[in-house]
């Protein structure tokens, strides 16, 4: 039977941005067929965004530059058809949601494209209702998009694209700012469109666990080149290949790879959780496990509270009650992780630590003194803050000027400014980039510029709000490694993130927030295993935790394990009654 014409066909496509000599895409030849769900993976700078933007003609029609080869989408050459025609077939969700939001309300934002497509009003209302429910924005219809949190803005951009029901839906890191359940819901609705309506999906991202579950094929890029194409099982089971290119497999795959490295026969590496549980069932039937000894950890340190929150509530001018009666102490030298769903109040809470917001009720004390007795500038010397979007904190023309700006503004001597700037740039790995414009750097590098500017003030407390958003695995780890070194130097570190799998080995204490309240305050090993509490706030633990809980049920006890390495350690010293026979066969 003759195969249908591919929906997308790349024929030896290369692309070079204006004022650049290095190709962002190199000789890409690839076909995507109707109804596929393609995962596009690669480290930062691999060319994922560039490839996405070629599909609706934005590259090269808007960006310019040099384009080689041929690309057709739905039978249309992307060089010969304007982007407005391609947009009828290609829905696009970009990495930065703010760049896509143009209307004055959530409802109008979704309706905007539908009106241009002349969708009947009743159909329009039905689509708007459906996509708002899918991305958990019901009740926000009349909100202005700029009043939404970063994660909510991203969900709105996804909703607007989903409402158009395009033939090809292209999503560039669409869930990077979402909580895990929000991420799951987006994958679920996109998967439903793929299965039920035949919508072809191309999704670029680092969400290995989700892509393994939903994608039919994986495309792997490296330095603009097509490195590998295959099924999710084929690509994600190549642990060494992924590691060489700074990518990570699903945690369940990493766990069984380590178990296999300990001498066990695990067969084909599972890449989905349900397959991992079946493989665990077969493996546990052949051995007596020896769980690793985990020393107890209270999650807190001794000493005075550097931040004290007493009965804190905050209501925004529009009437939104973002915090309700929160009380807690953070002690000098702690490393605290704050988690919760989008809109739970995490950012609102930490902004009170810098007096960027003031309590509606209650108080916040820094070093025992009410924050209302400090100026914002005085607090900035004690509490450093790196926000969700580093671009909102960058306004100088060179990295050096950005890092030294606050010191110059505060009148520090020139010699001390030079010394602090040098030390801060060295701490974040940006030496040699002093004269580069910050906006010419990658997002991860821009986040480090902001962190360097904060470190130059030598604050006692460092707060990082979603520092891993949009980062590849290597970039996220590099930023967190900096925070660990700062913690070792005695700094108090507070991190907000949805990427729970990254935080073991860094944070010791976890604050779980839900609808502006503090739901749980516990050591990380306890918090990650409170699946009931995490579920209540739209979170879910990493796959390694779920595997550890399954093993714990088998041996009749709790195993407070957090990582693939810890779970695999259960099998390293395990007694196997048929291990020798296995090795002979």
């Amino acid at each position: 039977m003759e195969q249908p014409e591919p929906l997308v066909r790349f024929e030896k496509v290369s692309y070079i941005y204006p004022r650049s000599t290095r190709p962002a895409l190199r000789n890409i030849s690839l076909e995507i067929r109707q109804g596929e769900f393609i995962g596009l993976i690669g480290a930062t700078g691999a060319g994922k965004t560039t490839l996405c933007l070629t599909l609706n003609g934005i590259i090269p029609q808007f960006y310019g530059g040099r384009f080689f080869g041929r690309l057709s989408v739905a039978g249309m050459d992307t060089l010969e058809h304007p982007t407005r025609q391609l947009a009828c077939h290609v829905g696009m969700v970009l990495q930065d949601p703010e760049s896509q939001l143009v209307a004055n309300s959530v409802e109008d934002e979704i309706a905007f494209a539908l009106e241009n497509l002349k969708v009947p009003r009743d159909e329009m209302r039905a689509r708007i209702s459906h996509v708002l429910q899918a991305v958990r924005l019901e009740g926000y219809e009349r909100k202005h998009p700029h009043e939404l949190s970063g994660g909510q803005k991203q969900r709105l951009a996804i909703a607007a694209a989903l409402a158009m029901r395009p033939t090809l839906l292209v999503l560039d890191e669409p869930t990077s700012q979402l909580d895990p359940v929000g991420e799951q819901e987006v994958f679920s609705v996109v998967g439903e469109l793929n299965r039920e309506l035949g919508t072809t999906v191309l999704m670029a991202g680092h969400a290995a666990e989700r892509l393994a579950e939903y994608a039919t094929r994986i495309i792997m890029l490296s330095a603009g080149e097509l490195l590998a194409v295959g099924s999710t099982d084929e690509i994600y089971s190549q642990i060494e290949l992924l590691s060489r290119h700074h990518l990570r497999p699903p945690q369940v795959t990493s766990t069984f790879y380590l178990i296999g490295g300990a001498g066990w026969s695990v067969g084909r590496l599972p890449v989905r959780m349900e397959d991992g549980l079946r493989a665990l069932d077969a493996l546990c039937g052949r051995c007596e496990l020896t769980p690793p000894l985990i020393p107890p950890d209270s999650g807190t340190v001794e000493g005075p509270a550097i931040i004290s929150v007493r009965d804190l509530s905050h209501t925004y001018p529009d009437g939104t009650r973002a915090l309700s009666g929160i009380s807690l102490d953070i002690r000098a030298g702690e490393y605290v992780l704050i988690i919760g769903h989008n809109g739970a109040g995490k950012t609102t809470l930490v902004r009170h630590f810098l007096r960027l917001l003031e309590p509606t009720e209650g108080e916040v004390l820094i070093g025992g003194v009410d924050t209302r007795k400090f100026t914002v500038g005085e607090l900035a010397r004690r509490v450093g803050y790196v926000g969700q979007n580093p671009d909102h904190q960058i306004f100088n023309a060179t990295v050096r000027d950005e890092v030294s700006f606050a010191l110059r503004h505060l009148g520090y001597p020139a010699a001390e400014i030079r010394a602090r700037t040098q030390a801060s740039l060295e701490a974040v790995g940006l030496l040699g980039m002093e004269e580069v414009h910050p906006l010419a750097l990658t997002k991860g590098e821009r986040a480090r510029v902001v962190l360097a500017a904060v470190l130059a003030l030598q604050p006692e407390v460092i707060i990082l709000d979603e520092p891993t958003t949009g980062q590849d695995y290597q970039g996220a780890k590099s930023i967190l490694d900096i925070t660990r070194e700062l913690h070792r130097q005695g700094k108090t570190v507070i991190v907000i993130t949805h990427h729970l799998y990254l935080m073991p080995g860094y944070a010791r204490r976890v604050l779980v927030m839900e609808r502006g309240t503090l739901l749980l305050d516990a050591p990380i090993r306890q918090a990650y295993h409170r699946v009931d509490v995490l579920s209540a706030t739209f979170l879910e633990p990493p796959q390694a935790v779920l595997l550890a809980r399954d093993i714990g049920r088998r041996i009749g006890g709790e195993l407070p394990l957090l990582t693939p390495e810890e779970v695999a350690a259960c099998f390293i010293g395990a007694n196997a009654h048929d291990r020798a026979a296995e090795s002979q066969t």
Side-chain angles (χ1 to χ4, degrees), residues 293-480:
L293 293 175
I294 303 296
D297 185 359
S298 67
T300 61
V301 299
E302 299 297 328
I306 192 169
I307 299 174
S308 295
V309 179
R310 297 287 177 263
D311 300 317
L312 176 64
S313 296
H314 186 84
T315 302
Y316 282 105
D318 67 355
T320 300
R321 190 166 178 83
L323 298 175
S324 298
I326 290 182
S327 295
L328 62 92
D329 287 324
I330 296 176
R331 302 189 182 279
E334 284 198 278
Y335 194 130
V336 179
L337 169 63
I338 304 179
I339 60 177
H341 61 79
N342 294 119
K346 306 181 297 296
T347 297
T348 300
L349 174 64
V350 299
R351 283 177 173 266
H352 280 81
F353 301 166
L354 299 100
R355 205 186 168 190
L356 297 176
L357 293 172
E358 293 196 3
T360 304
E361 301 171 26
E363 60 183 1
V364 177
L365 310 178
I366 301 295
V369 180
D370 193 308
T371 54
R372 286 168 286 206
K373 296 183 179 179
F374 295 100
T375 65
V376 172
E378 288 170 338
L379 281 172
R381 303 189 196 197
R382 303 193 65 177
V383 182
Y385 178 68
V386 180
Q388 293 181 23
N389 189 339
D391 296 346
H392 291 170
Q393 293 179 258
I394 290 174
F395 48 88
N396 283 280
T398 69
V399 169
R400 187 196 311 278
D401 287 347
E402 188 65 44
V403 175
S404 63
F405 176 82
L407 299 175
R408 289 184 279 113
H409 181 71
L410 294 170
Y412 281 81
E416 186 171 358
I417 291 174
R418 286 193 297 271
R420 287 198 186 192
T421 300
Q422 179 85 358
S424 296
L425 289 172
E426 183 176 8
V428 301
L430 288 179
L431 280 179
M433 296 188 178
E434 290 85 346
E435 302 307 318
V436 176
H437 196 297
L439 298 183
L441 302 174
T442 66
K443 185 172 183 179
E445 289 169 337
R446 297 198 299 274
R448 282 190 273 165
V449 169
V450 175
L451 179 56
V454 167
L455 295 180
L457 291 171
Q458 299 179 354
E460 304 162 68
V461 180
I462 308 291
I463 301 172
L464 295 98
D465 192 350
E466 298 286 1
T468 60
T469 295
Q471 304 287 336
D472 61 23
Y473 184 61
Q474 186 70 20
K477 293 286 286 184
S478 68
I479 289 176
L480 292 175

Side-chain angles (χ1 to χ4, degrees), residues 13 38 80 150 154 171 224 255 305 356 361 369 371 374 419 427 436 473 475 525 534 553 578 583:
V13 170
I38 303 292
E80 297 176 358
Q154 195 163 31
L171 305 108
T255 302
L356 297 176
E361 301 171 26
V369 180
T371 54
F374 295 100
V436 176
Y473 184 61
R525 291 192 183 276
L534 296 181
R553 284 192 290 270
D578 62 348
S583 63

